[in-house]
Amino acid sequence: DGSLGTGFKLTGFDLNCTPSDEINRFTRNIQNLLTTCSNGYRLQVFYKLSPDVSSLIDSNEKLSKDCTEEYKEVLKARTNFLRQNMKKKNYFLPEVYFFIRSAPFSFKKRNLFDKDQDFKTVTKSDYKSVKDKFLRVSKQVESILASAKVEPKKLSSDEWFELDFRYLNLDRSEEI
């Protein structure tokens, strides 16, 4: 459809134990985001629970690497306990993604028997102006998300494709 898109992985902000004034500030930032993207842009939030908590277990283990000898056995037992529970999928790590897509180009519907001159094309200058506008809006969205303290990390193409693959092929992605 000719639309442009980008995605962000959001981390760093948990509303569970947040005071009311922080929640209100967060809400105002989200309102600003929605008004920034009002011209035909599509927004999507994707929430995923992942059973892979190995990075959390590893970081916890690294925090205690300089502990005393007496505690090393306790640390080892605790780490083994956590890893066994992870293998049983007893823990979950939430992941939140935010996607923005521009409005699609308005192409004329194509029929098999239409003449070539009936097809509407997009000129380079039209594409460049749409792309420039999308990049401006994308940077504004990233800035608003950062001010909302959700620490947006722009997804690379490979990360986006992997996320799509896992979403569309859940059984197959768990086997690989």
Side-chain angles (χ1 to χ4, degrees):
D1 68 355
S3 63
L4 302 172
T6 192
F8 302 96
K9 183 175 182 179
L10 308 180
T11 59
F13 189 68
D14 186 4
L15 285 174
N16 289 328
C17 297
T18 305
S20 300
D21 57 329
E22 284 290 316
I23 293 173
N24 290 337
R25 190 179 62 74
F26 177 79
T27 304
R28 280 190 302 276
N29 283 325
I30 298 302
Q31 287 173 335
N32 290 340
L33 184 139
L34 294 174
T35 57
T36 298
C37 299
S38 62
N39 298 338
Y41 283 82
R42 291 175 284 172
L43 307 174
Q44 179 184 11
V45 176
F46 178 61
Y47 181 82
K48 173 183 160 191
L49 286 176
S50 171
D52 182 16
V53 294
S54 58
S55 61
L56 289 175
I57 295 171
D58 292 342
S59 65
N60 186 300
E61 191 174 24
K62 286 177 187 174
L63 284 175
S64 303
K65 69 179 180 177
D66 296 330
C67 65
T68 63
E69 284 299 318
E70 296 83 25
Y71 185 68
K72 286 194 180 192
E73 285 299 315
V74 175
L75 176 63
K76 183 179 176 183
R78 182 176 190 272
T79 302
N80 287 338
F81 173 77
L82 293 172
R83 291 195 192 283
Q84 288 172 355
N85 277 324
M86 181 184 70
K87 286 179 184 173
K88 295 177 187 175
K89 297 185 179 181
N90 289 337
Y91 303 127
F92 293 97
L93 179 66
E95 296 177 11
V96 181
Y97 297 90
F98 184 83
F99 297 95
I100 178 173
R101 293 201 61 88
S102 70
F105 283 102
S106 57
F107 294 112
K108 182 179 177 185
K109 284 228 181 236
R110 296 181 180 187
N111 291 322
L112 182 62
F113 301 109
D114 282 348
K115 297 178 188 169
D116 285 343
Q117 63 263 27
D118 289 341
F119 293 123
K120 181 179 178 184
T121 58
V122 177
T123 64
K124 284 185 180 182
S125 63
D126 287 345
Y127 177 76
K128 184 177 178 348
S129 67
V130 168
K131 181 180 175 186
D132 289 345
K133 181 181 177 187
F134 176 76
L135 291 174
R136 273 192 316 274
V137 170
S138 177
K139 287 205 182 289
Q140 287 176 328
V141 165
E142 186 174 11
S143 175
I144 292 169
L145 290 171
S147 68
K149 297 183 180 179
V150 293
E151 300 174 17
K153 179 188 165 249
K154 194 170 189 177
L155 295 176
S156 69
S157 296
D158 290 341
E159 290 170 321
W160 197 340
F161 290 136
E162 181 183 343
L163 191 61
D164 288 342
F165 176 80
R166 288 180 184 269
Y167 178 75
L168 297 171
N169 301 289
L170 183 61
D171 292 339
R172 188 171 176 204
S173 71
E174 288 177 351
E175 292 173 6
I176 295 177

